[in-house]
Amino acid sequence: MARVLYELAGSDPARRFSPYCWRSRMALAHKGLEAECEPWRFTEVERIAFSGQAKVPVLRDDERVVFDSWAIAEYLERAYPDRPSLFPGTPAASRFIAAWADAVLNAQLARLIVSDIPQWLEEGQQAYFRSSREARFGMRLEKVTEEREVRLPAFRAVLEPLRATLREQPFLGGETPAYGDYAVFGGFQWARVVSPLVLLEPDDPVTEWRERMLDLFNGLARATPSCGT
Amino acid sequence: MARVLYELAGSDPARRFSPYCWRSRMALAHKGLEAECEPWRFTEVERIAFSGQAKVPVLRDDERVVFDSWAIAEYLERAYPDRPSLFPGTPAASRFIAAWADAVLNAQLARLIVSDIPQWLEEGQQAYFRSSREARFGMRLEKVTEEREVRLPAFRAVLEPLRATLREQPFLGGETPAYGDYAVFGGFQWARVVSPLVLLEPDDPVTEWRERMLDLFNGLARATPSCGT
């Protein structure tokens, strides 16, 4: 197959947890495009050197190479205009949602689940992951785990714009999902794949939306190895 | 004129400060629709009783009465489909932005500027305003003023999704403003009208966007009485 998505994986190649790779995986499914989803590990810089940078997701579509989840979404929309639109209207309207998911949702999620990640990595990568993340968060990973129950209420409060929107409509895209949904869902899927932590209350509108997202494309995201119920 | 927008005003009827009324004022201008903007005070419940509720904005458009800023925007889009669209694509995509402005931006702004509001109200309304707001925030208004410099860095941090989006495009709507821009701008205009507090750094992309918003429609929002420079 000529279409390949490079995705972050743990030591088990089936364990795919990057929130940004999940955005691209869901965007490909939304477009109805098949792709080989290649597992990639943090340190395999040379394997994606053809993209001119060192982060996943990277999409190779025949001769074309695109990196960065937003750029991949814009590329798919441009290259496959006859497939269902990822951006009803214009990409511009979804950018704020993706920016919120980056700066708020994923940043907060990291402080809840980062300490669950090392167990899923190959032994040689655990030290790299631990030292880089402990530097970023200014604390030992064990302390993240200790403090996370205390952080949960603040995390749930921060979801209020999401909750208020989902009280009014089934998806951020409206009656059907759009790229904004995938941008946000990527964060929840990251958490679900690596962590048993129960992030949401069962009666939260966000929980009901997450279930709808897990059902999309014949349960694509639900079927992946995870810690979620 | 058969089109009237009821807007919150201070004792000076020209001082209009409600962030939600500003959403509707800008939405009308976006559609190129003239409206008489009637000043309304907190306690004048009977004057908008025809709307079946007690809050502004209320729009009367000939025989039609609409309240709630979101409902007004949806109404304008439906009733005037040949005018420039407030929601390129669908309203759904803008709802998250408006929900963020409600739950995050306006909530945070209130804790910075609420103590500046009483001076703009008629004497009879100052006591009502003070007691209701002191109950809501759990502190005396003087304490809000004292603490606000300390709160400013956290406020600026919370704008990160907005900032990240505006680094990529001139408006939340893309190349041109859309309802999401007005939803967010309403908060900044509220602050500008009532408070001399400098909310933003001059080189913040959010500042540059706010200037562009103030320029829209021949400087409609810039021309209103305000404390802003």
Side-chain angles (χ1 to χ4, degrees), chain A residues 22-86:
Chain A
W22 274 102
R23 291 182 184 185
S24 299
R25 174 93 73 102
M26 298 296 277
L28 282 160
H30 182 103
K31 285 284 188 188
L33 297 169
E34 305 268 320
E36 212 164 303
C37 296
E38 273 286 307
W40 176 92
R41 274 77 178 207
F42 285 118
T43 46
E44 298 178 322
V45 174
E46 75 290 342
R47 272 188 65 218
I48 56 167
F50 65 88
S51 72
Q53 52 88 61
K55 284 183 180 166
V56 289
V58 171
L59 178 70
R60 167 169 257 163
D61 192 14
D62 275 326
E63 299 303 298
R64 287 156 298 189
V65 172
V66 194
F67 62 90
D68 177 89
S69 57
W70 181 266
I72 289 170
E74 286 196 316
Y75 163 76
L76 293 175
E77 189 75 351
R78 218 171 35 241
Y80 301 97
D82 301 337
R83 305 295 186 110
S85 175
L86 283 165

Side-chain angles (χ1 to χ4, degrees), chain B residues 22 26 47 63 70 72 75 90 126 148 179 187:
Chain B
W22 274 103
M26 298 296 278
R47 272 187 66 217
E63 300 303 299
W70 181 266
I72 289 171
Y75 163 76
T90 72
Q126 295 183 5
R148 68 189 186 179
Y179 190 68

Side-chain angles (χ1 to χ4, degrees), chain A residues 88-100:
Chain A
T90 71
S94 301
R95 201 189 283 269
F96 181 84
I97 300 178
W100 178 83

